[in-house]
């Protein structure tokens, strides 16, 4: 995972994980320099349950860090484990399994352009670099907005 977060203590780049800074050990929330992250839940050929668990771990962490969108790469194999992950992930999504954190979702193959999305210009700019429009191997999730000051109140 690319290092798009910064340690508030030492200033080094951090990823979403681990939960502490690998340079100084700080467990403070890092500062996000991005509005979205990509999560490959098919990587390493996991079982369906493992892939869903990976997704949920990232979902919770992304919300905690104020990330607005998650691009989930689940593959699109019509058979085998890849196809199962995609099918199961989307079934849970449609059953509102994560409705407490996910505001809207778009299946890659149903997205024709970003212009129909109600997202900020900055997020649009970041997403334009990604090749997921008309791509059946991914799903875009827009998360519910948790204001950062609210997060810091919880941590105070
Ligand atoms: Zn640090």
């Amino acid at each position: 995972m690319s290092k798009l977060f910064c340690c508030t203590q030492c200033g080094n780049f951090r990823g979403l994980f681990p939960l502490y800074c690998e340079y100084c050990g700080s467990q403070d929330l890092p500062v996000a320099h991005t509005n979205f992250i990509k999560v490959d839940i098919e990587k390493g050929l996991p079982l369906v349950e493992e892939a869903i668990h990976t997704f949920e771990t990232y979902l919770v962490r992304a919300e905690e860090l104020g990330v607005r969108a998650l691009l989930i790469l689940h593959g699109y194999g019509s058979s085998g484990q890849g196809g199962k992950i995609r099918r199961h992930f989307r079934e849970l999504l449609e059953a509102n399994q994560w409705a407490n954190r996910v505001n809207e979702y778009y299946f890659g193959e149903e997205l024709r352009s970003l212009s129909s999305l109600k997202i900020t210009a900055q997020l649009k700019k970041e997403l334009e670099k990604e090749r997921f429009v008309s791509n059946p191997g991914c799903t875009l999730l827009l998360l519910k907005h948790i204001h950062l000051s609210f997060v810091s109140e919880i941590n105070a």
Side-chain angles (χ1 to χ4, degrees):
M1 142 118 10
S2 49
K3 308 277 187 185
L4 295 166
F5 301 87
C6 265
C7 177
T8 55
Q9 296 301 312
C10 70
N12 277 300
F13 285 115
R14 292 176 55 178
L16 245 69
F17 297 103
L19 299 178
Y20 58 88
C21 173
E22 291 172 287
Y23 297 94
C24 73
S26 166
Q27 294 188 19
D28 292 354
L29 283 178
V31 175
H33 292 288
T34 182
N35 282 302
F36 99 103
I37 55 166
K38 265 188 295 192
V39 184
D40 184 352
I41 62 170
E42 205 193 15
K43 191 174 161 190
L45 305 175
L47 297 172
V48 173
E49 297 73 29
E50 293 168 339
I52 298 299
H53 179 73
T54 298
F55 163 71
E56 290 182 332
T57 306
Y58 275 88
L59 176 64
V60 170
R61 185 69 171 153
E63 182 198 60
E64 189 177 39
L65 295 179
V67 170
R68 296 288 290 119
L70 285 182
L71 184 57
I72 306 303
L73 313 180
H74 45 56
Y76 55 91
S78 53
S79 61
Q81 206 65 26
K84 280 188 206 163
I85 290 171
R86 175 182 190 259
R87 194 166 58 245
H88 194 64
F89 172 75
R90 289 183 169 188
E91 277 170 7
L92 289 172
L93 199 54
E94 291 186 305
N96 294 319
Q97 175 82 9
W98 304 295
N100 58 333
R101 292 193 166 91
V102 176
N103 199 25
E104 292 173 76
Y105 57 86
Y106 300 91
F107 297 149
E109 69 274 20
E110 292 171 1
L111 262 182
R112 293 287 167 263
S113 78
L114 295 179
S115 55
S116 58
L117 302 183
K118 285 180 191 148
I119 54 178
T120 63
Q122 197 193 338
L123 179 54
K124 201 169 279 185
K125 201 172 156 190
E126 288 187 65
L127 287 173
E128 275 166 359
K129 295 173 192 159
E130 305 297 326
R131 292 184 196 146
F132 67 96
V133 169
S134 302
N135 179 343
C138 38
T139 298
L140 178 69
L141 310 183
L142 299 182
L143 304 190
K144 292 191 172 172
H145 187 57
I146 304 258
H147 199 268
L148 283 175
S149 63
F150 176 62
V151 172
S152 43
E153 275 166 33
I154 294 174
N155 291 333

